Amino acid sequence: DAKTTQPTSMDCAEGRAANLPCNHSTISGNEYVYWYRQIHSQGPQYIIHGLKNNETNEMASLIITEDRKSSTLILPHATLRDTAVYYCIVRFGSGTYKYIFGTGTRLKVLA
Amino acid sequence: DVKVTQSSRYLVKRTGEKVFLECVQDMDHENMFWYRQDPGLGLRLIYFSYDVKMKEKGDIPEGYSVSREKKERFSLILESASTNQTSMYLCASSFTGGRSTDTQYFGPGTRLTVL
């Protein structure tokens, strides 16, 4: 089962791009990479997911390396409201529905 | 937008009480999940359901039961609340099939305190 490794914490200046890395070196071919975030005392919020190609939506961009062993979530213009814990998750194999949330990266956006 | 609602944001109960946590989703999702979240332990799956009246145990089902009588509603029951069940409880739902397989959408959470 693929596991993920993320830095414990990061700071980013308001208005700048926040680049959050994730390592998932044991990911298998049919597993997706998902990103969620959790603002203090709220439920996790879905951000984006991808398989092989880079993805972009209104919230963020997801860059997946060609070998799929790592990815980067990009918040193009971070705001104070983006301060949260960001979780990188790999779909837990086939036949089950469970996600495994690790400890995530605590992003602090500074004014 | 997908909306998952939970019956209470904060709940305080006494040891031994029977506790009901309700979750409702409005997107006709087949799958629904109950997790608990504790500091340093991340999210842990308690139970999930992939259809009405169907349920599967997650990693930590002991002390809990669930009920899914209608597709949109999934209830978590603490038969006899104990202090070690003090936690944040999160409900999620997902659709099965297509590119969005397994994208889970979470409710706001219920912070339960058992005294």
Side-chain angles (χ1 to χ4, degrees):
Chain A
D1 304 319
K3 294 181 180 173
T4 62
T5 305
Q6 299 177 251
T8 303
S9 64
M10 294 179 63
D11 290 341
C12 177
E14 189 177 21
R16 303 297 294 268
N19 297 285
L20 293 94
C22 180
N23 181 285
H24 33 79
S25 57
T26 59
I27 192 171
S28 64
N30 63 349
E31 289 181 309
Y32 286 80
V33 179
Y34 285 78
W35 283 84
Y36 284 76
R37 72 181 183 185
Q38 189 169 24
I39 296 169
H40 183 62
S41 295
Q42 297 182 24
Q45 178 188 22
Y46 166 76
I47 301 173
I48 198 167
H49 74 284
L51 183 63
K52 295 180 185 177
N53 301 320
N54 298 338
E55 302 286 346
T56 295
N57 64 18
E58 65 278 3
M59 290 183 68
S61 295
L62 173 61
I63 309 297
I64 302 174
T65 57
E66 193 169 342
D67 63 6
R68 303 187 71 239
K69 293 184 176 182
S70 65
S71 60
T72 301
L73 179 75
I74 300 172
L75 307 178
H77 305 287
T79 70
L80 298 178
R81 288 180 294 179
D82 293 321
T83 292
V85 178
Y86 288 77
Y87 296 99
C88 168
I89 299 150
V90 173
R91 182 177 154 190
F92 191 77
S94 62
T96 65
Y97 303 89
K98 181 170 62 174
Y99 284 4
I100 293 180
F101 282 69
T103 53
T105 296
R106 188 171 296 275
L107 175 70
K108 187 173 183 180
V109 180
L110 305 172
Chain B
D1 282 351
V2 175
K3 192 163 185 182
V4 180
T5 58
Q6 296 183 227
S7 50
S8 305
R9 288 301 311 276
Y10 300 94
L11 207 53
V12 180
K13 295 292 181 180
R14 296 207 175 274
T15 301
E17 279 193 81
K18 192 169 186 176
V19 181
F20 293 87
L21 302 182
E22 300 281 328
C23 175
V24 178
Q25 51 93 5
D26 68 356
M27 282 302 292
D28 203 34
H29 283 171
E30 292 89 353
N31 308 313
M32 296 188 75
F33 308 81
W34 276 106
Y35 294 86
R36 62 178 284 178
Q37 185 176 30
D38 301 287
L41 296 176
L43 266 69
R44 292 180 291 168
L45 182 65
I46 304 171
Y47 268 97
F48 69 96
S49 168
Y50 53 88
D51 202 352
V52 175
K53 297 191 185 294
M54 306 303 290
K55 61 184 179 183
E56 293 284 345
K57 293 180 180 179
D59 294 324
I60 51 164
E62 297 79 18
Y64 303 94
S65 61
V66 291
S67 172
R68 191 160 181 210
E69 296 296 318
K70 293 185 178 181
K71 191 174 186 180
E72 68 271 19
R73 188 180 298 269
F74 192 34
S75 301
L76 180 70
I77 303 151
L78 286 65
E79 298 291 342
S80 177
S82 64
T83 54
N84 63 11
Q85 292 178 310
T86 292
S87 186
M88 167 75 95
Y89 288 87
L90 292 161
C91 175
S93 72
S94 73
F95 176 68
T96 298
R99 190 178 180 279
S100 295
T101 299
D102 286 356
T103 300
Q104 294 187 18
Y105 297 91
F106 286 81
T110 296
R111 187 166 293 281
L112 172 67
T113 302
V114 182
L115 301 176

